[in-house]
Amino acid sequence: VAADDGVMPQTKEAVDHARAAGVPIVVAINKSDLPNINPDKVKRQLNELGLMPEDWGGQTIMVPVSAKTGMGVDHLLEMLLLEAEILELRAKPSIRARGVVLESKLSPGRGSVATLLVRNGTLRLGDMVLCGLYFGKIRAMVDDKGKRIEEAPPATPVEVLGVQGVAEAGDEFFVVKDEKKARTLAALKQEEKRQEALK
């Protein structure tokens, strides 16, 4: 939430999405380096949305930050780690990878390129994945620094080549045993979507 703008319609939408997903909310109050801002006004507006700040006796962590100067970012990361520890969020790197599609596009010369965030397990080069309605074998993986990698552990964003279609952002992906299973699951999902569209 921008400290100078306060709660905007997109803030309310983000809060609604987080609540619908049943996930905890941590608020970064950005632009806190600007003069004449009123963080209490932002906290009051968020309180009206049912997000009571911790320093007011509530449960919601709110951290003043500045994307421009970097102020408060370390504290925000500490708070996120604390929240993950309290919730006992753990991933198992030894299982088959699963996660979410952040972005997907058709790239000239490269074909379908999907940016995936591994939530659990480890994604490896050569894995057969089902991404939303599409499947494919991972031919190449590039990390967030542009370096080619062979495996992506939990909490890693990675760009992959090999999926035979453009998945939608927000689609889930998971590694399947073989191509036959991937093809069957993709066909079932595509038929399901076609039936929905006909309704």
Side-chain angles (χ1 to χ4, degrees):
V1 180
D4 56 346
D5 292 335
V7 171
M8 302 293 278
Q10 60 266 31
T11 311
K12 292 176 183 170
E13 190 178 339
V15 169
D16 290 343
H17 284 305
R19 283 190 175 138
V23 295
I25 297 172
V26 175
V27 179
I29 302 175
N30 194 25
K31 299 185 181 178
S32 291
D33 58 322
L34 295 177
N36 304 323
I37 56 147
N38 186 353
D40 282 342
K41 177 185 164 209
V42 175
K43 289 178 181 182
R44 197 167 37 256
Q45 291 174 333
L46 289 165
N47 189 39
E48 288 169 11
L49 293 179
L51 300 175
M52 184 180 282
E54 268 190 330
D55 54 340
W56 291 9
Q59 298 288 318
T60 309
I61 297 171
M62 296 188 188
V63 182
V65 298
S66 169
K68 190 175 180 181
T69 68
M71 176 202 89
V73 173
D74 287 342
H75 184 55
L76 176 63
L77 292 172
E78 284 174 25
M79 291 297 102
L80 290 171
L81 287 172
L82 178 67
E83 189 77 10
E85 209 170 290
I86 290 167
L87 295 169
E88 296 181 3
L89 300 178
R90 300 279 183 266
K92 293 180 183 172
S94 58
I95 63 175
R96 288 189 192 138
R98 63 182 317 126
V100 68
V101 177
L102 299 177
E103 180 185 26
S104 189
K105 62 187 177 204
L106 211 50
S107 173
R110 292 170 71 194
S112 176
V113 179
T115 304
L116 310 177
L117 178 61
V118 180
R119 280 191 180 153
N120 213 348
T122 299
L123 185 63
R124 294 179 173 85
L125 209 56
D127 278 349
M128 182 61 63
V129 295
L130 182 67
C131 283
L133 304 175
Y134 306 101
F135 71 96
K137 190 173 188 176
I138 305 287
R139 293 178 315 188
M141 290 196 300
V142 180
D143 68 10
D144 57 335
K145 295 168 187 73
K147 189 177 117 192
R148 282 188 171 251
I149 57 173
E150 297 206 359
E151 50 181 44
T156 305
V158 65
E159 195 175 76
V160 300
L161 301 178
V163 179
Q164 302 172 348
V166 179
E168 291 183 31
D171 280 351
E172 295 227 2
F173 84 84
F174 54 93
V175 173
V176 291
K177 211 167 23 174
D178 54 42
E179 185 175 344
K180 186 178 178 185
K181 187 170 185 175
R183 189 181 302 277
T184 304
L185 289 170
L188 285 169
K189 284 186 167 212
Q190 288 170 8
E191 179 59 25
E192 210 175 90
K193 182 142 181 141
R194 197 178 71 79
Q195 291 297 329
E196 264 181 47
L198 289 173
K199 287 179 187 174

